[in-house]
Amino acid sequence: MFGNPSYPTYQVFLAAAIAGVLTAFLMTPFIKLMRHEGVGQQIRADGPQRHLIKQGTPTMGGVVFLLAVLITCFLQASWTVDLTLAVIATYLTGSLGLLDDIESVAHKRSLGLTPSQKMIGLILISVVFGVLAVSLCGIRPTVEFPGGFTIDLGVLTTTFTAMGTIFYVPWLYIFFVFLLMAGLSNAVNLTDGLDGLAGGCTLVVMMAMAMVAFRYNEVNLAVFAASIAGALVGFLWHNCYPASIFMGDTGSLALGAAFAALAVLTKTEVTSLLMGGLFICEALSVIIQVISFKATGKRVFLMAPIHHHFEKKGWSETKVVIRFWIVSAAFAALGFALYFQLS
């Protein structure tokens, strides 16, 4: 481990720096490799026309920053059960995204795996994660709201024994974990539509989650969150407008899963929804658009997700991205302040 573990704050900040440097340097040869192999992003034909020039831009950049995060965790963290679960959930979801990216590139289309295939994968990952979090980490099967109000979701619990260990399956809470993980993974994925948008918005959220984990006395989870934030700084060096590479579903799905896993393991499931309020708005804009069009034949937004709505209104891509970063930072700060005040 680099640094003195007696100074955990330094340990966390150093993790962010290591992940950032690793990502920034490793991304350059990866971009060259992707260009050499002709691995490029497929752009939606019904999207903004100015996005068509991005056709063929290298993708799957999430592979590099996820690798950097993993290396950093090996260097800076102790592999507790909590950290191991968070990493497994993140990388399994990232693997699901990688399959989606490979399918998209192989068939030269903007969509890879079918929605049902993605959903089956997310169900399996979230159920296993939820059961292990409750059984091995002692996570309470509750939903805790700011102010002390708590909903007990452990009323329908079954148990089974495997390898000498008793596993608890609180079905209602497991369903809640699935909604959280699947919802945030897809929400971050929807946000990944402009150069630097998802990366920058997730960066500030992960900084907030690192502080939450630190206050929760989970230094290793704080290192994990800080590593992701730092890796995204390195990624944004290459992903800022005009992007040299995209993170792909490999990155976006993994980032949402990491966010959800950290929320569960720090018991901030509700507060995290406020911290990730920008992602929630992006997902809600799509839901509202679909419901409105099916019910009335009219669209609420010029285009969904909502970042495309502002593009259609004449905002430049960089203006949308920077303003969304600011909004994301405001949500993250508000959520952390609420957690800090009431914890």
Side-chain angles (χ1 to χ4, degrees), residues 210-291:
M211 291 187 287
V212 166
F214 194 87
R215 183 170 174 78
Y216 197 72
N217 293 321
E218 285 285 356
V219 176
N220 295 300
L221 290 181
V223 167
F224 177 59
S227 298
I228 295 175
L232 288 174
V233 172
F235 173 68
L236 285 173
W237 180 266
H238 301 277
N239 183 239
C240 62
Y241 182 84
S244 300
I245 191 169
F246 302 133
M247 69 172 67
D249 284 7
T250 307
S252 58
L253 291 180
L255 291 176
F259 186 19
L262 286 166
V264 170
L265 294 171
T266 57
K267 290 306 296 176
T268 54
E269 298 99 329
V270 175
T271 311
S272 69
L273 295 178
L274 180 56
M275 292 184 187
L278 189 279
F279 304 131
I280 305 303
C281 291
E282 290 272 15
L284 285 176
S285 70
V286 174
I287 295 171
I288 292 170
Q289 187 86 322
V290 171
I291 292 176

Side-chain angles (χ1 to χ4, degrees), residues 96-97 99-101 103-104 109 111-118:
L96 183 67
L99 289 175
D100 187 55
D101 287 332
E103 186 76 7
S104 174
R109 61 189 185 191
L111 297 177
L113 297 177
T114 65
S116 60
Q117 288 173 326
K118 285 185 184 179

Side-chain angles (χ1 to χ4, degrees), residues 110-152:
S110 61
L111 297 177
L113 297 177
T114 65
S116 60
Q117 288 173 326
K118 285 185 184 179
M119 193 55 63
I120 290 172
L122 288 171
I123 289 172
L124 292 174
I125 294 168
S126 59
V127 167
V128 172
F129 169 78
V131 170
L132 294 179
V134 171
S135 304
L136 302 183
C137 302
I139 298 300
R140 300 180 301 276
T142 57
V143 179
E144 301 176 6
F145 292 82
F149 178 68
T150 300
I151 299 176
D152 184 5

